[in-house]
Amino acid sequence: MPAEPSADYTESPYYLQAVAALARRQTVTAHEDIYCDNGIKLVSKGTELGEEQFQRLARHKLHEPLDNMLISERAIDAASLSIEAGKILEHDPIYARLANRSGDPLAVKHGLAALKLPPPLLMRLTVLRDQRQEMFQHTLRTAIIAYALAQRLKLPPPERQVLLLAALCHDLGEMHTDPMLLDSGHAITPDERRYVHVHPLASHMVLNAIKDFPPAARQAVLQHHERMDGSGYPHGLRADKITPLAKLLAVADVAETVIRRFDLPRLDMLARLHQNRFDRAAADALRDLIHATPEDALPMPQEQLDAATKLAHLSDVLRAWFAQRSVFEHMVAPAEPERSPLAFLFERMNTIRQLVLQAGFDPDRSESMLFIAQDDPAILLELRTMLDEIEWLQLDLANEIDRRSAELQGLSPQPLHALLQHLRPG
């Protein structure tokens, strides 16, 4: 019989499918007996798992997490993580620049090699590497950026190691999400988005089941999508409620995504425009590390350089907001406006307008922006980058309205619906 469980554990079907797929590529063995919650043995120690065993496991609540009871033939370890990071630093000039400007270009490799990784985490990372290669690369690159930020900000070595561990684990919860929703070609719906937004909680749950996992790393993982202005998730925390390591991880996570999808000027603009959403010291350290120049910009197709289309959308959103603003103001209790469920909406729309002003443009005369920029490639690049970021902010605000739908349920839906239609282009 098994020892007393701390809690019954239901494994995600999507993660179970990923482990089963791994077992078709390499040997996966039970190094302990596997029991269900009522004490019935499902798999004996030493069994090589195949399709029949996985089908049986899928029908039961498990006595404890599956990772605690499995070993794989070619499991990842700290040394192999260090080698993988070394390949990125060798072949990617942006990451080489980050590492070189951090003060010690080899420090992240040494930090990875020195990590004490419990076997259940190694199993989870092995499945990630084998079955979600793009996510694994995102995880490793985020870890490199996070460590460089920690070096730049002179965090004590023990805190750097905790941050490195959190970065490696921050998206493990996405393996509990239907892979179809995470596919880059899938247009995610508002209803589907809640399954994506829950992944910090899922990651936290996975790590909570790993004995002796550092609480500070677990907390950073839980909060890596929180934002300084309260616009993040899952709990909408503000500045002083977010742990210092989570603030660094948030910047590293976003930076990796922008570097992968866009270019360094876009990342530099993001660091400047989002000063109220990200920790200022972390954002400044990132800008120092990347040191972007116009030459870093990727060649963009003509349709992506069409700033006029994005300007028209921005003007449309601002006009719609000011037309509806008085309606929203009537929904806010005058005595305590900051406690209104709509307080975030006023704050975010004001942020969008202020970002245009900070960039040196007039938000009330959008046509003048294009006139100023059209004969200067550097200014046009700056304008295009700013408009890309503001368009992202608009979509993020639309998603936040969806996320808060239950909280906003008692309010008149027509003005919110009208604003949503303007925020989402096309």
Side-chain angles (χ1 to χ4, degrees):
M1 288 292 293
E4 281 299 312
S6 56
D8 296 339
Y9 192 89
T10 303
E11 192 59 81
S12 158
Y14 300 114
Y15 182 65
L16 202 57
Q17 290 166 14
V19 180
L22 173 70
R24 289 192 286 270
R25 291 165 54 88
Q26 58 179 275
T27 301
V28 173
T29 306
H31 71 85
E32 300 287 348
D33 293 333
I34 302 177
Y35 292 88
C36 66
D37 62 332
N38 62 7
I40 295 175
K41 186 190 292 186
L42 301 175
V43 177
S44 297
K45 179 180 179 179
T47 301
E48 184 179 318
L49 275 72
E51 201 65 41
E52 180 182 345
Q53 285 79 20
F54 282 110
Q55 287 178 5
R56 191 176 187 200
L57 292 174
R59 294 195 296 267
H60 295 274
K61 283 186 177 181
L62 301 183
H63 172 76
E64 60 180 296
L66 192 60
D67 293 326
N68 293 1
M69 300 169 286
L70 299 182
I71 53 174
S72 64
E73 181 183 18
R74 297 188 294 276
I76 205 167
D77 58 16
S80 57
L81 286 170
S82 177
I83 291 169
E84 291 286 343
K87 292 176 184 176
I88 294 171
L89 296 175
E90 181 180 354
H91 298 294
D92 191 315
I94 293 176
Y95 284 84
R97 179 192 303 185
L98 280 166
N100 286 327
R101 292 178 65 84
S102 70
D104 181 354
L106 298 179
V108 67
K109 286 187 61 181
H110 296 154
L112 285 166
L115 281 177
K116 306 299 183 186
L117 301 171
L121 181 55
L122 293 176
M123 183 66 199
R124 182 94 28 172
L125 289 171
T126 299
V127 178
L128 183 68
R129 178 188 63 182
D130 189 86
Q131 293 298 306
R132 304 282 191 274
Q133 181 60 221
E134 185 175 333
M135 195 186 301
F136 176 72
Q137 285 296 316
H138 164 71
T139 291
L140 202 51
R141 289 168 186 263
T142 299
I144 292 172
I145 298 171
Y147 202 84
L149 290 173
Q151 289 175 264
R152 192 75 170 184
L153 294 171
K154 302 188 185 307
L155 262 64
E159 289 186 32
R160 297 180 195 181
Q161 291 301 100
V162 172
L163 178 62
L164 195 56
L165 186 58
L168 287 173
C169 301
H170 75 283
D171 276 347
L172 289 180
E174 288 199 353
M175 298 193 76
H176 287 203
T177 305
D178 185 346
M180 183 195 74
L181 301 186
L182 304 175
D183 188 278
S184 58
H186 176 70
I188 195 165
T189 67
D191 283 342
E192 292 170 339
R193 195 172 301 281
R194 62 193 176 96
Y195 294 106
V196 177
H197 285 160
V198 81
H199 82 267
L201 292 166
S203 299
H204 187 265
M205 179 195 74
V206 168
L207 300 174
N208 200 43
I210 297 177
K211 186 180 179 182
D212 298 329
F213 191 88
R218 193 167 61 237
Q219 194 72 356
V221 169
L222 178 63
Q223 297 179 353
H224 77 275
H225 274 291
E226 302 288 359
R227 298 294 180 255
M228 300 287 284
D229 62 355
S231 65
Y233 60 89
H235 296 127
L237 302 179
R238 286 183 175 267
D240 59 342
K241 301 296 184 183
I242 305 170
T243 66
L245 294 184
K247 293 172 184 177
L248 286 178
L249 182 53
V251 170
D253 180 42
V254 172
E256 193 287 327
T257 302
V258 175
I259 290 171
R260 174 164 34 93
R261 294 181 180 175
F262 300 102
D263 51 35
L264 290 189
R266 169 81 178 254
L267 182 58
D268 184 67
M269 175 65 78
L270 180 144
R272 286 190 284 135
L273 292 186
H274 294 260
Q275 291 179 9
N276 65 325
R277 302 190 77 207
F278 296 101
D279 180 75
R280 177 68 63 87
D284 288 346
L286 177 66
R287 292 183 66 200
D288 288 342
L289 288 168
I290 60 172
H291 193 61
T293 66
E295 289 72 32
D296 288 313
L298 297 174
M300 304 292 281
Q302 183 59 43
E303 61 268 24
Q304 292 185 347
L305 288 172
D306 187 7
T309 301
K310 295 182 184 295
L311 277 170
H313 179 224
L314 173 60
S315 298
D316 183 48
V317 169
L318 292 174
R319 278 196 301 268
W321 167 244
F322 285 114
Q324 297 283 349
R325 180 169 181 153
S326 61
V327 178
F328 290 120
E329 285 172 343
H330 283 302
M331 300 180 193
V332 175
E336 295 183 302
E338 70 282 354
R339 293 183 176 273
S340 166
L342 286 174
F344 80 96
L345 183 59
F346 287 89
E347 183 177 358
R348 298 287 294 282
M349 288 303 302
N350 184 59
T351 295
I352 289 173
R353 194 172 191 279
Q354 289 301 316
L355 292 181
V356 180
L357 289 169
Q358 288 172 21
F361 296 107
D362 183 351
D364 300 320
R365 298 185 59 208
S366 60
E367 70 284 352
S368 67
M369 298 189 212
L370 192 59
F371 178 78
I372 292 170
Q374 61 186 358
D375 295 324
D376 189 323
I379 297 179
L380 184 60
L381 173 63
E382 182 96 350
L383 176 61
R384 188 264 296 172
T385 306
M386 181 198 72
L387 290 170
D388 282 348
E389 281 308 311
I390 288 178
E391 190 166 81
W392 180 85
L393 269 180
Q394 292 163 356
L395 289 172
D396 191 53
L397 176 55
N399 295 337
E400 188 171 354
I401 292 172
D402 288 333
R403 228 172 28 242
R404 294 174 182 249
S405 57
E407 185 183 350
L408 302 173
Q409 204 164 25
L411 303 174
S412 174
Q414 289 85 0
L416 280 171
H417 180 68
L419 183 60
L420 271 173
Q421 287 185 314
H422 290 286
L423 286 168
R424 289 193 172 106

